[in-house]
Amino acid sequence: MTDLISEDQRHLARAVALSREHMNDGAGGPFGAVIVRDGVVLAEGWNCVTSTNDPTAHAEVTAIRRACEAVGDFSLPGATLYSSCEPCPMCLASAYWARIRRIVYANTRADAAAIGFDDSLIYDELSVPIAERIIPMDHVPSLEAKAVFDTWADKADKVRY
């Protein structure tokens, strides 16, 4: 257990160092992430939203993209995501999609909200009925869109994810 704690502390410290380094360099907000599997660092990431004009370029998503590219797979089973902050809803969803086994984080979402990174609106919107959400969503059924899904369902060589 002591080895796991020291490994967690080491990788979490690296995520925090990345957050400070790239925040100071002007890459984006104060967030860093490291993905580790079987004791090997697969990738590192940091927030680069403002430097790339990409609202999805959060530290965790950037690290997940890099890790998947490094291993040549869209799935990271058995990996641990170390983050300088509790992942936002998008980053958490990305971790689930990547099949991350475990997440270790330093700051909480309340800590992030206190410095201007408040995701409570998104958390709240997830439980609001679609018709009542802030961003209007209109369901417009399409026979062609349904046909594409039907083709996918029958596709013999599809790669499930």
Side-chain angles (χ1 to χ4, degrees):
M1 187 65 164
T2 304
D3 289 341
L4 181 60
I5 292 171
S6 62
E7 183 176 350
D8 283 350
Q9 290 170 337
R10 183 167 47 90
H11 294 304
L12 194 56
R14 178 62 183 152
V16 171
L18 287 166
S19 72
R20 179 179 297 282
E21 175 186 344
H22 293 284
M23 173 194 67
N24 287 341
D25 288 346
F31 304 98
V34 177
I35 297 179
V36 178
R37 182 166 60 192
D38 300 325
V40 176
V41 174
L42 300 180
E44 298 178 340
W46 48 88
N47 183 289
C48 48
V49 169
T50 57
S51 60
T52 62
N53 295 318
D54 179 354
T56 69
H58 290 200
E60 298 90 340
V61 170
T62 301
I64 288 169
R65 289 173 181 161
R66 289 177 177 157
C68 288
E69 184 175 349
V71 302
D73 199 345
F74 53 80
S75 185
L76 301 169
T80 298
L81 168 62
Y82 294 90
S83 179
S84 63
C85 187
E86 180 179 355
C88 75
M90 176 185 69
C91 294
L92 183 59
S94 297
Y96 277 102
W97 277 111
R99 296 178 180 60
I100 295 287
R101 179 182 59 87
R102 182 170 169 251
I103 298 171
V104 178
Y105 62 93
N107 294 316
T108 67
R109 65 173 130 165
D111 297 328
I115 62 164
F117 295 93
D118 189 353
D119 298 320
S120 61
L121 172 70
I122 299 169
Y123 284 106
D124 293 345
E125 279 288 285
L126 293 174
S127 63
V128 173
I130 290 175
E132 297 173 26
R133 292 186 180 163
I134 292 170
I135 297 177
M137 296 177 65
D138 298 312
H139 177 217
V140 180
S142 163
L143 293 176
E144 183 58 24
K146 178 67 170 109
V148 172
F149 272 24
D150 292 343
T151 301
W152 172 261
D154 296 335
K155 188 170 171 37
D157 62 343
K158 66 184 162 208
V159 177
R160 294 185 182 274
Y161 61 96

